[in-house]
Each structure stands twice: as structure tokens, then as C-alpha cells.
Amino acid sequence: MDALIQYVKQCFKEEYTGHDFFHAQRVVSLAEKIYEKEVSFPKEEELRLIKAIGYLHDVVDEKLTSKRKERYQEINSLLEQEGFSPKEQEEILYVIEHLSFSKNQKERASLSLLGQIVQDADRLDAIGAIGIARAFAFGGRKDQALYDERVPLIKKIPEKRSSSTLHHFYEKLFFIENQMNTKIGQAIAKERTQYLKKFIEEFLKEWQQKN
Ligand code: ADP
Ligand code: NI
């Protein structure tokens, strides 16, 4: 897996919006944990597939790269080199193409169990303490306000861009706990969502003190 890991590091070397190599690493280790709890007889080959999907899942995201075609070619030869069978290669490519949150809003792709597990791990990394950090990093990069007090905080799917990073919690992050594929993923999501709510409570308390 070394060549593949080096490749992913290289792809994200100038990426600081929270979709970086460390995000990929967290997704892999969380997905492995979920897999081991979810499956009665873990298999080495499946763990290898999870690793490959987890490391590669953001490499071909159109938000993050304009070189999708080249990257698909590079991934194909890496997977070949790592000894994945044609069937495994097909599964990896299908999952990384269909895993993202935005893709799943439009068409609900049917992912294999391994794909669903990595999708859960990816979503879990958007909530909890690191999820909060990632959201504000993303917001800063896009010149988005921390909070826009003129717009009510209501849980809803937005029609346009979030008006602030705090609104993003209500427009995406609070939906995640009900979108999990696995039981263990759901339990972790519930816990992390509680933490998000506590954060918002504190945030608003401090915000209001300015008046
Ligand atoms: P995916 O790649 O799974 O489709 P996104 O690119 O929408 O997901 O989200 C990746 C990360 O960026 C998440 O941590 C998410 O919370 C954050 N993010 C996305 N949109 C916004 C936004 N408008 N404001 C703040 N954070 C955002
Ligand atoms: Ni991701």
C-alpha cells in the first residue's frame, strides 16, 4: 500500500481546506474500526479494499482537482501495481466516484457494504471536534462569515450557499446522524452531534455577550 499512500500524500500536498492527507488517514482508521465491529469474520482482502478506498476517496473529487482524467489513469496503474484484481479495481473506482455527500443528494447510489463503511467514516470526520475545525477552515478559505445573525438558524437543506459557517451546521452537519449506513457509525454520529450542539450553545452564548 506504500506507493498508494505516497501518491495520496502528493495529491494533497497543497490542500488545507480539511480535505487533506490527514483526513484520508482518519477515514481509513475509522472505517477499519467500523468494519471490524460490523462484520463477524473480518477478511484481510476486505481490509485492504477499505484502505484503498479510504485513501483514494477524495483524490478524484471535482471540487478538489481539475485533473480527474489523469488521476483516474494514475489510480488505475497504482491499483494494478498493488495487485488488486480487475473486480476489486472496479469496486474501488465505483465507490470513490459515488461516495461524496453532494453526489448522494442527487442520486442515491447503491454502495457495497465496504463503500458504505467508508462513506460513514467520511461523514463522521465532518462532525465532532475535527468536523468543527474543518468547517471553519473551509469557511475561512471561502471568505464565509463565522455567523450571520440576520438569518435564522433552522435545520433545512439549503437552496444556495450557506450564509455562514454556523449555518452550515444546520444545513448539512445536523443531518449526518440520520444518514449513517451502519449501526456503529450511527452511534458515533449521535455522540459527535451532541458535541456539535454543545459547541453551538457556547458559541451563541459568547456571541450574544457582545450586545
Ligand atoms: P463531500 O466531499 O463529502 O461532498 P463537502 O465537500 O461538502 O463533502 O464537505 C467537506 C468538508 O467541508 C466537511 O468538513 C464540511 O463540513 C466542509 N464544508 C462544506 N461546505 C461548507 C460550508 N459551506 N461551510 C463550512 N464548511 C463546509
Ligand atoms: Ni472525504
Side-chain angles (χ1 to χ4, degrees):
M1 203 63 70
D2 281 356
L4 196 143
I5 293 174
Q6 286 313 319
Y7 172 72
V8 177
K9 258 191 194 152
Q10 174 68 22
C11 289
F12 292 134
K13 78 177 187 310
E14 281 167 41
E15 177 59 52
Y16 303 106
T17 59
H19 272 114
D20 52 15
F21 177 71
F22 302 104
H23 163 64
Q25 265 184 330
R26 287 191 301 272
V27 169
V28 168
S29 65
L30 203 48
E32 287 171 335
K33 217 159 86 192
I34 298 175
Y35 173 78
E36 273 159 10
K37 291 236 162 92
E38 196 68 21
V39 169
S40 326
F41 301 101
K43 293 192 194 117
E44 232 8 85
E45 315 86 81
E46 293 193 335
L47 274 164
R48 238 165 71 81
L49 274 173
I50 287 203
K51 265 206 173 95
I53 297 169
Y55 278 119
L56 292 170
H57 82 275
D58 276 333
V59 165
V60 287
D61 189 325
E62 60 217 7
K63 292 192 297 296
L64 306 172
T65 181
S66 51
K67 296 188 232 149
R68 271 164 54 84
K69 224 170 139 192
E70 289 97 309
R71 289 207 169 163
Y72 269 119
Q73 279 163 1
E74 290 157 358
I75 290 173
N76 272 323
S77 60
L78 266 169
L79 295 178
E80 191 75 43
Q81 193 185 321
E82 298 278 4
F84 286 102
S85 71
K87 201 166 153 265
E88 288 174 324
Q89 292 181 29
E90 201 182 307
E91 173 167 4
I92 295 168
L93 292 171
Y94 181 85
V95 174
I96 63 174
E97 181 63 28
H98 293 90
L99 180 119
S100 93
F101 187 88
S102 24
K103 281 258 165 57
N104 262 259
Q105 295 284 74
K106 286 175 223 139
E107 36 154 341
R108 232 191 136 69
S110 55
L111 296 180
S112 61
L113 176 65
L114 302 185
Q116 290 182 18
I117 288 175
V118 182
Q119 186 176 53
D120 275 7
D122 187 33
R123 287 176 171 167
L124 285 171
D125 204 48
I127 53 179
I130 290 188
I132 295 172
R134 291 180 72 211
F136 285 98
F138 181 103
R141 181 70 172 268
K142 302 273 171 192
D143 292 331
Q144 180 175 274
L146 299 182
Y147 173 42
D148 179 354
E149 61 188 3
R150 296 165 303 178
V151 182
L153 286 167
I154 301 166
K155 202 173 150 193
K156 65 166 170 58
I157 307 276
E159 287 124 38
K160 49 179 176 55
R161 254 187 77 169
S162 301
S163 61
S164 75
T165 298
L166 217 62
H167 283 82
H168 175 68
F169 284 59
Y170 288 80
E171 292 165 0
K172 175 171 170 187
L173 305 184
F174 286 151
F175 286 102
I176 289 181
E177 67 174 336
N178 293 324
Q179 290 170 334
M180 302 304 287
N181 302 304
T182 63
K183 266 215 165 74
I184 164 86
Q186 199 175 29
I188 305 173
K190 231 174 145 176
E191 216 173 278
R192 292 192 179 186
T193 302
Q194 290 308 319
Y195 185 73
L196 294 187
K197 290 186 175 155
K198 238 182 126 32
F199 169 81
I200 294 218
E201 206 181 291
E202 279 295 312
F203 184 106
L204 292 173
K205 213 158 73 190
E206 292 177 21
W207 186 277
Q208 275 140 19
Q209 276 165 11
K210 74 177 178 23
N211 296 320

